[in-house]
Amino acid sequence: FRPSPVRRALPLVRGSFAATSPTYVGESMAPESSAVRTPRAPKSRVGPVRRADPFFSPPTPKRAVRPPSARRELVLVGGGHAHVVALRTFAMRRPVGARVTVVLDRPDALYSGLVPAFVAGEIDRSQLSIDVVPLARRVGAGVVLARATAIDPVERRVHLEGRPSIPYDVCSLDVGSAVRGADAPGVAQFALATRPIAQFVDRVDAALRTLAGSPSSPRVVVVGAGAAGIELAFTVLARSVRQGQPADVCLLDSASPPLSAHPPGLAGAV
């Protein structure tokens, strides 16, 4: 074919071709009769220079480990769900430059999602427990078995019952909740508050066992007809049936009808 003027003007590079006889690296564009071969330049021993690549990043240098005196103090007060998940995360990836201390008023935590099954008599108490102490020690955290009584945000210290206070840089509280109205007259003597949940679990099992020996059908009143109260009422009824002494369960609530914020079909079924 007839080469275009542009192709004849292009310089010779590796892998290009001319319209006439092939020309190789090191040869000139002169005709073959006047071509003079020149020796190849020695290959450079220096590796290629890596260009900026958005998909390539040099290895990250290792972080310097802080001395123990310079580490930050992370104190987790309580063994609730959030702290259990945090300790599980620390087991997979330990925090750098921080020392973790867990403050517990009891060595185990209770999984509240299984409490209804426990009240109904479907599982025993051991299946509710999460042993927080081995989980904390697995991640190298310190464990203090004492009840936290106060937090001093100025001095940054957690005060403990019967033990010296401990310092903190970051403090997290996951201690559960309490029921409003528990100090009303007669509640402490005749009622079982569902919070703190550990105390409720300890007392409700003994209270429901006494229903089995009742000479007549026992009457149980659940104060609060929200979703949790209705679930508790159903589980108490199931437990009494399982024990062979069906109870007369009554729901007491100021709202009428119960579950008014839920779908009408659900409220009607309840």
Side-chain angles (χ1 to χ4, degrees), residues 1-12:
F1 63 92
R2 182 178 181 182
S4 64
V6 177
R7 186 177 299 276
R8 286 198 300 266
L10 290 175
L12 181 67

Side-chain angles (χ1 to χ4, degrees), residues 97-125:
R99 181 169 57 185
V100 182
T101 303
V102 185
V103 178
L104 302 170
D105 59 344
R106 53 192 301 157
D108 62 338
L110 298 179
Y111 178 53
S112 60
L114 287 177
V115 170
F118 169 75
V119 174
E122 297 176 355
I123 61 175
D124 56 24
R125 193 187 186 285

Side-chain angles (χ1 to χ4, degrees), residues 194-262:
T194 58
R195 295 294 188 276
I197 194 168
Q199 296 181 9
F200 172 71
V201 168
D202 293 338
R203 298 178 61 189
V204 71
D205 187 54
L208 293 177
R209 287 181 185 274
T210 60
L211 300 181
S214 178
S216 59
S217 179
R219 183 174 178 83
V220 179
V221 178
V222 178
V223 180
I230 291 175
E231 182 180 41
L232 180 59
F234 284 148
T235 55
V236 169
L237 179 60
R239 175 69 171 269
S240 64
V241 171
R242 185 185 296 270
Q243 295 179 160
Q245 187 74 320
D248 181 13
V249 181
C250 174
L251 276 170
L252 182 62
D253 196 275
S254 59
S256 180
L259 298 181
S260 57
H262 292 74

Side-chain angles (χ1 to χ4, degrees), residues 29-53:
M29 293 294 294
E32 186 178 356
S33 58
S34 60
V36 178
R37 296 183 177 272
T38 57
R40 289 178 178 268
K43 294 183 179 180
S44 174
R45 297 182 179 273
V46 181
V49 178
R50 186 183 293 274
R51 298 182 180 180
D53 188 350

